[in-house]
């Protein structure tokens, strides 16, 4: 396996400068050892392409960083639920955290895993609770109401349900505002005193079908400073101690996800930096730590490949319309994310700042502004990099466009993992 750079795309012999821009002789863009053009030959575009070796390498890197403290890695399926991705991670021993019955169904379809599976949704339904309990998943509840609802489901099924409490630790994480979930105002989890109260009631015999195992915190995504996670873990340990004092046998501490990937190529804290801060906190406490990375395992392993449809004739610089847009990769429009966009066929002639827009009839359908691209013509392939997380899972059929295909590359071979949708598919759900 290659060393884990977290970036399996390359320009063949090109050397990338620290901005990720190629210098030197151009070659064609490759992913997982396969030329990107070959990878999408069977599906056409738009298509997401994921390098599975890179996904596994990223998992192994996080697992190794946290192994000294015996922590378990649970992949956050919301980042990318493709079955081939889940299968590869399950085979490597990764656990999973899901937020819905739909995601849990995917994990079950992907096949057996030796790792822990957690259902940690918000507004989880009785059907979703029941599916989790039947399959022995740990359920993370966010409110006293949800705890009672889960208790009823466990009683009806006559099966014990392992439960952990999602805390709101009131910690301000260094993550973009739209992705912050740990401050007091965030509508996630219980304040510590409510959690302690809930644990106390369980210790006193309320909800006899529930088996309390511990607590869960997740303070945000794209966390640029690991100290926010450390603060949340300290609050979680206090709650675990209070629960133990009440007589419960608690040992589960899920510290959440949020390990960052900068789409523009800037340096960010690595999993080892998070592990170094958490290790001394959990040492000697007898808790089993878990972490839930989504983005860090899949973002850099994936790209969205799209074709130039037309060049737009504008007075304000070079603009191309491609066949993927905000409905296929929402992150630039929704969060202002700057993903690097490169020409698949290389080309260093006539490079100029280029606006890359999608086919949606909305001014906000812009995939990239001022991307340094060579002169492009209709049919040329372009790749949006670091698009393996929160890409396809957030795609829609807006403007009546079918969603992209998904291709996986493993062992130097590209396989269609999900075919591109058709116009007929768009009608399939209506009576
Ligand atoms: N655990 C919980 C409870 C979560 O809510 C999340 C993400 C994760 C783990 C995984 O976080 P990660 O390691 O991927 O940062 N759509 C946004 C990201 C939303 C994240 C939501 N929760 C984006 O495209 O940036």
């Amino acid at each position: 396996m290659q060393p884990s750079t977290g970036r399996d795309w390359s320009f063949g012999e090109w050397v990338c400068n620290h901005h990720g821009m190629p210098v030197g002789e151009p070659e064609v863009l490759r992913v997982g050892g396969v030329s990107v053009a070959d990878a999408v030959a069977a599906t056409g575009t738009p298509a997401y392409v994921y390098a599975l070796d890179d996904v596994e390498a990223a998992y192994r890197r996080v697992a190794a960083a946290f192994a000294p403290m015996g922590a378990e890695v649970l992949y956050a399926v919301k980042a990318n639920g493709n079955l081939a991705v889940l299968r590869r991670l399950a085979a490597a021993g990764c656990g999973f955290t899901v937020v819905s019955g739909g995601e849990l169904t995917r994990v079950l379809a992907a096949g057996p895993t030796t790792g822990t599976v957690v259902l940690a949704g918000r507004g989880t339904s009785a059907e979703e609770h029941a599916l989790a309990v039947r399959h022995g998943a740990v359920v993370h509840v966010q409110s006293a109401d949800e705890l009672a609802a889960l208790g009823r489901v466990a009683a009806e099924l006559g099966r014990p349900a392992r439960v952990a409490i999602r805390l709101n630790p009131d910690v301000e994480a260094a993550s973009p505002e739209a992705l912050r979930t740990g401050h007091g105002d965030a509508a996630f989890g219980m304040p510590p005193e409510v959690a302690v109260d809930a644990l106390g009631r369980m210790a006193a015999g309320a909800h006899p079908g529930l088996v309390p195992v511990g607590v869960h915190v997740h303070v945000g995504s794209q966390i640029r400073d690991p100290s926010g996670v450390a603060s949340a873990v300290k609050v979680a340990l206090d709650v675990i101690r209070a629960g133990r004092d009440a007589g419960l046998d608690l040992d589960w501490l899920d510290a959440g996800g949020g390990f960052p990937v900068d789409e523009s190529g800037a340096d960010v804290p690595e999993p080892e930096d998070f592990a170094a801060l958490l290790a001394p906190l959990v040492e000697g406490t007898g808790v089993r730590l878990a972490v839930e990375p989504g983005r860090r395992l899949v973002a850099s392993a994936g790209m969205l490949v799209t074709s130039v449809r037309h060049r737009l004739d504008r007075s304000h610089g070079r603009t191309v319309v491609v066949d993927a847009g905000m409905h296929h990769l929402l992150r630039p429009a929704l969060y202002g994310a700057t993903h690097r966009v490169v020409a698949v066929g290389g080309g260093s002639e006539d490079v100029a700042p280029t606006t890359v827009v999608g086919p949606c009839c909305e001014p906000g359908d812009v995939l990239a502004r001022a991307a340094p691209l060579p002169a492009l013509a209709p049919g040329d392939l372009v790749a949006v990099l670091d698009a393996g997380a929160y890409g396809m899972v957030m795609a829609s059929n807006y403007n009546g466009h079918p969603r992209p295909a998904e291709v996986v590359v493993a062992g130097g071979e590209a396989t269609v993992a999900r075919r591109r949708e058709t116009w007929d598919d768009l009608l399939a759900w209506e009576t």
Side-chain angles (χ1 to χ4, degrees):
M1 185 167 304
Q2 295 182 343
S4 173
T5 59
R7 291 175 201 283
D8 194 29
W9 55 271
S10 70
F11 290 92
E13 297 306 308
W14 279 13
V15 179
C16 289
N17 68 19
H18 69 287
H19 297 303
M21 290 313 300
V23 293
E25 278 306 299
E27 257 209 29
V28 295
L29 186 67
R30 301 176 80 79
V31 55
V34 174
S35 102
V36 170
D38 287 349
V40 300
T43 60
T45 60
Y48 278 97
V49 184
Y50 313 125
L52 294 185
D53 293 346
D54 228 36
V55 172
E56 183 173 337
Y59 160 70
R60 292 198 183 281
R61 175 164 176 178
V62 177
F66 284 89
M69 58 189 110
E72 194 178 350
V73 179
L74 313 178
Y75 169 61
V77 173
K78 61 166 75 73
N80 181 332
N82 184 278
L83 287 175
V85 169
L86 301 185
R87 273 191 210 111
R88 185 65 175 260
L89 286 170
C94 188
F96 296 99
T97 177
V98 300
V99 292
S100 66
E103 285 188 357
L104 183 52
T105 301
R106 282 193 166 270
V107 168
L108 294 169
T113 170
T114 52
T116 302
V117 177
V118 162
L119 171 64
R122 181 166 70 172
T124 306
S125 70
E127 291 77 14
E128 291 173 318
H129 280 151
L131 186 67
V133 173
R134 279 207 304 275
H135 288 279
V138 180
V139 181
H140 291 182
V141 299
Q142 302 217 7
S143 64
D145 276 353
E146 188 185 352
L147 190 65
L150 179 66
R152 287 192 294 274
V153 167
E156 269 163 35
L157 292 176
R159 286 189 69 141
R162 286 182 296 164
V163 61
I165 306 274
R166 166 86 179 257
L167 281 184
N168 180 320
D170 197 9
V171 162
E172 202 75 49
S175 92
E177 201 174 338
L179 305 180
R180 249 178 250 164
T181 53
H183 53 293
D185 272 359
F188 291 96
M190 301 184 202
E193 61 280 8
V194 179
V196 170
D197 184 59
L199 291 170
R201 279 185 287 114
M202 282 194 276
H207 314 307
L210 301 185
V211 181
V213 296
V215 298
H216 172 210
V217 285
H218 169 76
V219 294
S221 201
Q222 292 283 41
I223 300 172
R224 301 302 170 115
D225 177 357
S227 66
V229 180
S231 304
V233 162
K234 284 182 198 153
V235 178
L237 285 167
D238 287 344
V239 172
I240 286 177
R241 276 185 211 105
R244 285 174 172 173
D245 289 347
L248 296 176
D249 187 15
L250 305 180
D251 70 351
W252 175 251
L253 199 176
D254 182 338
F259 305 153
V261 173
D262 189 295
E263 311 84 15
S264 62
D267 284 344
V268 288
E270 290 294 350
E272 294 80 6
D273 300 316
F274 286 83
L277 267 192
L278 298 191
L281 300 180
V282 296
E283 198 185 335
T285 59
V287 300
R288 288 183 297 138
L289 191 75
V291 289
E292 309 176 314
R295 186 186 324 268
R296 187 61 180 75
L297 302 198
V298 289
S300 303
M303 59 176 67
L304 173 59
V305 184
T306 177
S307 304
V308 174
R309 286 254 173 86
H310 310 126
R311 292 165 283 202
L312 286 189
D313 306 302
R314 291 170 73 226
S315 52
H316 284 79
R318 197 185 271 175
T319 302
V320 292
V321 192
V322 295
D323 62 6
M326 64 188 291
H327 49 345
H328 301 142
L329 180 65
L330 188 55
R331 305 195 68 261
L334 189 59
Y335 310 113
T338 308
H339 286 261
R340 286 166 294 175
V341 175
V342 296
V344 167
S348 55
E349 298 286 297
D350 192 14
V351 171
T354 304
T355 302
V356 181
V357 303
C360 292
C361 293
E362 277 217 31
D365 189 10
V366 179
L367 287 177
R369 292 175 204 278
L373 287 167
L376 294 164
D380 286 348
L381 293 176
V382 159
V384 185
L385 304 181
D386 293 316
Y390 304 108
M392 184 62 176
V393 284
M394 292 172 73
S396 77
N397 294 119
Y398 186 44
N399 276 207
H401 291 296
R403 283 179 295 174
E406 292 181 295
V407 174
V408 293
V409 179
E413 213 173 298
T415 311
V416 180
R418 176 189 167 116
R419 67 166 173 80
R420 202 141 49 86
E421 290 175 352
T422 64
W423 290 329
D424 282 342
D425 289 333
L426 303 184
L427 304 178
W429 310 111
E430 283 172 59
T431 54

